[in-house]
Amino acid sequence: MQTDVLIIGQGICGSFLSWYLLAQGKEVIVIDEERASSPSRVAAGLINPVTGRRMVTAWMVEELFPFANKAYTDFGAQLGIQAFSRKDVVDLFPNPFMRESFLHKLTEGNEYIHRVDDEMHFANWFNYEFGAGLIGPAYTAYLDRLLPAWRAELKQQNRLQETSFDINALQIEPDEIKYDGIHARQIIFCDGPAGMHNPFFQALPFSRNKGEALIVEIPELPQDHTYKKSLLLVPLSEPGLFWFGSSNHWEFEDDKPTPAFLEQGKNLLQQLLKIPFKVVDHRAGLRPATLERRPFVGFHPLHPSVGLLNGMGTKGCSLAPYFAHQLAQYISGNTSAIDPVVDVKRFRRILERQ
């Protein structure tokens, strides 16, 4: 079987990369063993213009937000689904210090921080004492629709192999890649946390962390916003369902859901909500983050046919479309360079030494 590009992984990175490459006229085969704990299937899909408790404006937000808007809209339109929706974040201040910090950012003129007309407007649904603010524009990517829909399309076109990838069976030759009867010009790893163990790229400064979230049914809560009070409550595509989380653990035994988070999440929801809720699922997964909080994009300096699109961390929904497009343009010869801030060749010395 002959193809231009063999892609390992069909999370958000592999999905956008395969979509863009096919649009450029490239032949693509994707290998992916579907796992419930993959980071793209555990993620909330939130695209937030500010980050952290200090409400710092997200990196490259001016470029990433309009790009993501068009990318998800176009991808969804091709698949006949809504893949993207504006869901500004209602910040329910948990204490007076967070309120003061928010108001300080407001006076600094941060364009993504806004007042709300009535700070107690949300008191019908939530317990909170110190008022509320608004962060926006913010968006939700409906990964629970997009990834399965694109998977079905790849299967229909015979471009998907649903199996685990065995890197020991990979053969790198001067003019082609060989794997299990597949002959390709290039291979791109979009394999999330597994990238830490990839012999070509394991020397890169990955930094995995574990997140957990609950899927909660709250039929009385409006789904026109994302809500935040310490943790996030993000509306999903199915009416009445919300994603609640997420935790960050740097030390963990495995990628499985833990009873401790389930108990903690239920307690927090009971304190937060004035209306009935029901936990319908509990998810956990490892995030492919990086020590410097910048993605890994591009090709190995010693193996120019072996590439990587990884390290998106908690910002995958905004970063993946943009850098998948950039990598697809590079592969197709429409651009001569990858942004040096994300190009894996910035780690040339350690990759060559490895």
Side-chain angles (χ1 to χ4, degrees):
M1 184 182 301
Q2 194 75 37
T3 192
D4 293 315
V5 184
L6 176 60
I7 297 174
I8 310 305
Q10 194 252 319
I12 189 170
C13 286
S15 292
F16 268 102
L17 181 61
S18 56
W19 180 57
Y20 281 126
L21 285 172
L22 287 169
Q24 293 287 340
K26 295 293 183 181
E27 289 296 320
V28 168
I29 293 175
V30 178
I31 296 178
D32 181 80
E33 181 181 28
E34 191 168 19
R35 297 176 67 244
S37 62
S38 68
S40 294
R41 290 170 176 83
V42 176
L46 179 64
I47 300 177
N48 191 345
V50 299
T51 183
R53 289 182 173 271
R54 296 182 180 180
M55 291 178 286
V56 177
T57 300
W59 177 57
M60 285 184 63
V61 64
E62 294 84 1
E63 295 89 356
L64 293 174
F65 269 50
F67 192 93
N69 197 328
K70 178 172 172 51
Y72 284 102
T73 301
D74 292 349
F75 204 171
Q78 179 176 325
L79 295 170
I81 61 171
Q82 182 185 7
F84 195 65
S85 181
R86 180 167 175 171
K87 304 287 183 183
D88 291 353
V89 180
V90 175
D91 195 347
L92 306 169
F93 306 132
N95 55 58
F97 307 105
M98 293 303 292
R99 174 184 175 81
E100 201 164 313
S101 176
F102 187 96
L103 294 177
H104 178 69
K105 285 290 182 181
L106 193 64
T107 61
E108 287 181 341
N110 188 312
E111 62 184 296
Y112 304 106
I113 305 293
H114 312 280
R115 294 185 183 275
V116 294
D117 294 333
D118 177 7
E119 290 193 52
M120 299 311 294
H121 171 75
F122 308 96
N124 290 331
W125 307 291
F126 297 101
N127 292 303
Y128 63 106
E129 303 175 49
F130 304 104
L134 196 68
I135 299 169
Y139 303 92
T140 297
Y142 293 138
L143 301 183
D144 53 338
R145 287 179 178 173
L146 181 64
L147 299 185
W150 183 237
R151 191 178 193 86
E153 182 69 19
L154 289 171
K155 288 174 70 173
Q156 185 176 7
Q157 296 181 22
N158 294 317
R159 300 184 187 276
L160 177 68
Q161 293 192 5
E162 295 183 287
T163 184
S164 60
F165 178 77
D166 179 9
I167 200 163
N168 296 313
L170 180 65
Q171 300 176 52
I172 308 296
E173 298 188 357
D175 56 349
E176 69 175 346
I177 300 289
K178 293 181 180 179
Y179 179 80
D180 194 26
I182 299 171
H183 296 251
R185 295 180 180 178
Q186 295 165 317
I187 182 169
I188 311 293
F189 289 96
C190 304
D191 50 354
M196 291 190 70
H197 308 294
N198 185 313
F200 294 100
F201 297 107
Q202 63 187 5
L204 294 175
F206 281 96
S207 177
R208 292 189 309 173
N209 71 61
K210 179 179 177 179
E212 294 190 60
L214 303 180
I215 305 303
V216 189
E217 187 175 31
I218 319 174
E220 296 179 29
L221 184 61
Q223 289 188 281
D224 52 352
H225 288 93
T226 289
Y227 306 96
K228 175 187 175 187
K229 189 181 178 187
S230 299
L231 296 183
L232 287 159
L233 196 58
V234 184
L236 297 176
S237 61
E238 186 174 334
L241 285 188
F242 291 80
W243 178 101
F244 182 66
S246 168
S247 60
N248 283 282
H249 299 294
W250 300 98
E251 295 183 8
F252 45 85
E253 294 182 359
D254 53 42
D255 62 355
K256 303 295 189 294
T258 61
F261 181 81
L262 178 60
E263 189 65 26
Q264 177 196 24
K266 287 180 177 179
N267 289 337
L268 288 172
L269 285 166
Q270 286 170 352
Q271 296 169 29
L272 175 63
L273 291 168
K274 292 181 176 179
I275 52 180
F277 71 90
K278 177 183 178 183
V279 175
V280 297
D281 198 5
H282 178 194
R283 300 175 183 175
L286 305 183
R287 301 182 183 96
T290 70
L291 286 177
E292 59 174 18
R293 300 187 179 182
R294 295 293 179 263
F296 299 140
V297 185
F299 290 88
H300 196 287
L302 297 181
H303 304 282
S305 59
V306 180
L308 184 68
L309 182 63
N310 206 329
M312 304 293 157
T314 60
K315 301 294 183 182
C317 289
S318 59
L319 296 173
Y322 185 89
F323 289 110
H325 178 262
Q326 187 173 115
L327 183 56
Q329 291 290 97
Y330 181 79
I331 290 170
S332 301
N334 296 322
T335 184
S336 59
I338 294 168
D339 188 335
V341 176
V342 302
D343 194 334
V344 294
K345 287 189 173 65
R346 69 193 191 272
F347 300 106
R348 176 186 294 273
R349 288 184 179 180
I350 63 171
L351 290 173
E352 288 179 344
R353 188 164 58 245
Q354 177 193 352

